[in-house]
């Protein structure tokens, strides 16, 4: 069964510190991997989308990395801000074997930034 | 989340009642989706549509119905609401099957 596993489940860090969130996925064929940010009470918003040929992609203070060989991705947040407090969801699009929409969602990492 | 409008934002239903969650878009995207999000769980696909007049079941379609008479609207109908349908529902759009998704703000439904 296709799975997307995220770790840690939750994380608390101090404002200004860096952090890294992990995403491991199983099965292939892999098409692209996405990271979404979901603020409390809001819909998910796209941060990055990477194809299997891309190793790194940045969006401001967010940098996503992808190792398609080991089926691992990470999201690194630099110089965290209070507004970074949110859930971060890893989503994998599979050419076949995913959901009807081709997407398999992770459960998310709940990040809290403390002042 | 501009371009995707969901209504209502909150609703409380009694067991056995019916209701429709509305989703309207002005981005002219063909692909539209309904997801539900339960606490601590990943989003689950309920139904999706690849264009007007075409709908298909997702992973968790039981207890729901959809229609897609226009490109802009993709309502989700709950018949005979059950407590298990208590959840947050998200409508999403996509330009293509493997393209970026744009989510609405969500509709929080409680069935008592």
């Amino acid at each position: 069964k296709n799975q997307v596993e995220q770790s840690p489940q939750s994380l608390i860090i101090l404002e200004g510190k860096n952090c890294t969130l992990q995403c491991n996925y199983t099965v292939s064929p892999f098409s692209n991997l996405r990271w979404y940010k979901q603020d409390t009470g809001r819909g998910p918003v796209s941060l990055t989308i990477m194809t299997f040929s891309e190793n790194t992609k940045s969006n401001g203070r967010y940098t996503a990395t992808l190792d398609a060989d080991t089926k691992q991705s990470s999201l690194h947040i630099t110089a965290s801000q209070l507004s970074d407090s949110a859930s971060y969801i890893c989503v994998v699009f599979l050419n076949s074997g995913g959901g009807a929409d081709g997407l398999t969602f992770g459960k998310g990492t709940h990040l809290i930034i403390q002042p | 989340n501009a371009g995707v409008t969901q209504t209502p934002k909150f609703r409380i239903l009694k067991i056995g009642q019916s209701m429709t969650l509305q989703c309207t878009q002005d981005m002219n995207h063909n692909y539209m989706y309904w997801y539900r999000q339960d606490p601590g769980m990943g989003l689950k696909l309920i139904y999706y549509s690849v264009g007007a007049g075409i709908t298909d079941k997702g992973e968790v379609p039981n207890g729901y119905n959809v229609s897609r008479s226009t490109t802009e609207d993709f309502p989700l109908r709950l018949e005979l609401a059950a407590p298990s349908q208590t959840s947050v529902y998200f409508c999403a759009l996509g330009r293509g099957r493997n393209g970026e998704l744009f989510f609405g703000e969500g509709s929080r439904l409680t069935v008592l």
Side-chain angles (χ1 to χ4, degrees):
Chain A
K1 182 179 179 182
N2 301 319
Q3 286 188 319
V4 176
E5 302 288 341
Q6 291 188 244
S7 62
Q9 187 174 0
S10 60
L11 180 63
I12 302 174
I13 64 171
L14 293 175
E15 185 180 9
K17 298 296 185 182
N18 304 334
C19 67
T20 300
L21 313 181
Q22 300 291 341
C23 174
N24 296 336
Y25 61 95
T26 61
V27 201
S28 60
F30 162 85
S31 178
N32 62 57
L33 184 144
R34 308 124 182 249
W35 283 94
Y36 285 86
K37 178 187 180 187
Q38 184 176 22
D39 292 320
T40 300
R42 307 292 296 275
V45 175
S46 179
L47 291 175
T48 64
I49 178 169
M50 292 188 293
T51 65
F52 65 90
S53 61
E54 296 177 291
N55 299 119
T56 303
K57 204 158 197 178
S58 292
N59 179 358
R61 293 179 296 101
Y62 300 100
T63 299
T65 64
L66 173 63
D67 186 334
D69 292 331
T70 62
K71 296 184 173 59
Q72 295 180 324
S73 177
S74 64
L75 181 69
H76 186 74
I77 303 175
T78 303
S80 62
Q81 300 177 357
L82 296 178
S83 60
D84 293 331
S85 293
S87 288
Y88 292 83
I89 303 172
C90 176
V91 187
V92 176
F93 180 80
L94 301 172
N95 283 330
S96 66
D101 53 351
L103 298 173
T104 301
F105 288 81
K107 295 180 180 180
T109 291
H110 186 52
L111 176 64
I112 297 173
I113 311 298
Q114 288 187 336
Chain B
N1 294 334
V4 186
T5 303
Q6 285 186 238
T7 58
K9 292 192 186 311
F10 303 94
R11 183 72 186 268
I12 298 175
L13 280 181
K14 294 182 179 179
I15 295 173
Q17 288 185 319
S18 301
M19 75 160 298
T20 298
L21 301 178
Q22 302 289 346
C23 177
T24 300
Q25 59 135 333
D26 62 2
M27 300 175 71
N28 200 34
H29 284 356
N30 285 328
Y31 286 67
M32 296 187 75
Y33 307 85
W34 274 107
Y35 292 93
R36 60 178 287 171
Q37 187 177 40
D38 299 316
M41 302 297 292
L43 279 83
K44 301 292 186 185
L45 180 66
I46 305 171
Y47 270 96
Y48 70 105
S49 169
V50 301
I54 306 170
T55 62
D56 250 314
K57 295 179 180 179
E59 184 180 359
V60 290
N62 291 344
Y64 308 94
N65 277 301
V66 293
S67 59
R68 186 90 182 274
S69 57
T70 67
T71 299
E72 293 77 21
D73 299 304
F74 190 40
L76 177 71
R77 177 80 177 165
L78 281 73
E79 305 282 0
L80 298 175
S84 61
Q85 294 178 303
T86 293
S87 188
V88 181
Y89 292 84
F90 289 99
C91 177
L93 318 176
R95 184 172 285 111
R97 186 169 181 264
N98 64 349
E100 182 178 359
L101 289 183
F102 300 92
F103 286 85
E105 292 289 279
S107 298
R108 183 177 295 274
L109 175 67
T110 301
V111 182
L112 300 174

